[in-house]
Amino acid sequence: AQSVTQPDIHITVSEGASLELRCNYSYGATPYLFWYVQSPGQGLQLLLKYFSGDTLVQGIKGFEAEFKRSQSSFNLRKPSVHWSDAAEYFCAVGPRIQGAQKLVFGQGTRLTINP
Amino acid sequence: NAGVTQTPKFQVLKTGQSMTLQCAQDMNHNSMYWYRQDPGMGLRLIYYSASEGTTDKGEVPNGYNVSRLNKREFSLRLESAAPSQTSVYFCASSEPLSNQPQHFGDGTRLSIL
């Protein structure tokens, strides 16, 4: 069965510290991979996506993610977090097919920033 | 610059009542989706519409119906609401290519007593 696991439900980091959010997936073939961010009371916004090529992808707001096929992982990183990064982060995977995306989401990681 | 608009934003229902959640997008996207978000479970796909005139079940379709009214609008109906359907519902849209991101509305928070 297809699944996405985000092992950390809640992470707290200090402002200015580095961040890594973990994502592991189980899928029949290499999927398309996404990270979305959700601010309180709002919908999800795309941070970045991986389709092919360079396994280190850059996204918005200074985030990056690295795809590691051997580990079935797609971890999200940021060198220095800002208070405005406090939000919930979702990893998602989808099939490499034409047509509508049937995304599978992880459970989410809630990020708290200490001043 | 509306993107995906969902109405209402909040709703409280009694068990057994019916309700239709509305979703409209102004990005000329072909595909539209309905998700529910529950604590600790991420988002789960309820129904989707790959293009106007088609709808398909997602992971958790039981208790719901959908209508793709036209290219812009995709509604979700609860015929007889149950407490287990208390959730936050999100509508999304995208181009019908799997490498295109989905664009999400701000959600409808639905409580069923």
Side-chain angles (χ1 to χ4, degrees):
Chain A
Q2 302 156 357
S3 65
V4 177
T5 301
Q6 294 178 244
D8 305 304
I9 295 173
H10 184 204
I11 285 181
T12 299
V13 299
S14 298
E15 190 168 15
S18 64
L19 172 71
E20 182 170 29
L21 302 183
R22 295 181 291 165
C23 172
N24 293 94
Y25 65 89
S26 174
Y27 213 79
T30 301
Y32 289 139
L33 298 147
F34 306 85
W35 274 99
Y36 284 87
V37 60
Q38 183 182 33
S39 298
Q42 296 190 5
L44 279 68
Q45 179 186 18
L46 181 71
L47 279 177
L48 47 78
K49 57 189 179 184
Y50 173 77
F51 298 143
S52 63
D54 192 345
T55 56
L56 185 63
V57 294
Q58 303 297 321
I60 63 171
K61 305 184 180 185
F63 285 91
E64 65 179 27
E66 185 172 13
F67 168 59
K68 293 185 177 180
R69 185 190 307 272
S70 61
Q71 299 178 19
S72 296
S73 69
F74 189 54
N75 294 348
L76 182 71
R77 301 194 294 250
K78 187 170 185 178
S80 176
V81 298
H82 186 262
W83 64 266
S84 60
D85 293 325
E88 189 150 21
Y89 292 80
F90 292 94
C91 181
V93 302
R96 291 176 174 264
I97 60 171
Q98 297 300 312
Q101 302 170 335
K102 293 180 69 175
L103 293 181
V104 177
F105 283 84
Q107 303 92 322
T109 297
R110 185 160 61 93
L111 176 64
T112 299
I113 308 294
N114 281 338
Chain B
N1 199 22
V4 179
T5 302
Q6 293 184 235
T7 55
K9 294 189 183 304
F10 302 94
Q11 185 71 46
V12 179
L13 294 177
K14 294 181 179 179
T15 298
Q17 288 185 315
S18 61
M19 171 78 188
T20 298
L21 308 185
Q22 306 288 352
C23 174
Q25 52 92 9
D26 62 2
M27 296 171 283
N28 203 34
H29 285 161
N30 285 308
S31 300
M32 298 185 72
Y33 312 82
W34 276 106
Y35 294 90
R36 59 178 290 172
Q37 182 180 27
D38 302 294
M41 301 190 74
L43 278 75
R44 292 180 293 168
L45 184 64
I46 304 171
Y47 271 94
Y48 67 99
S49 170
S51 60
E52 186 178 355
T54 70
T55 60
D56 285 288
K57 296 178 180 179
E59 180 186 354
V60 288
N62 291 345
Y64 305 95
N65 288 301
V66 291
S67 294
R68 184 72 183 267
L69 305 172
N70 48 55
K71 189 172 185 178
R72 289 187 64 248
E73 298 173 288
F74 188 38
S75 63
L76 178 72
R77 182 162 178 85
L78 288 69
E79 289 290 353
S80 178
S84 61
Q85 294 177 305
T86 293
S87 188
V88 181
Y89 291 86
F90 287 97
C91 178
S93 70
S94 73
E95 287 300 325
L97 297 171
S98 61
N99 63 357
Q100 295 302 308
Q102 295 184 14
H103 298 259
F104 286 81
D106 287 341
T108 294
R109 187 173 296 275
L110 182 61
S111 294
I112 300 166
L113 307 177

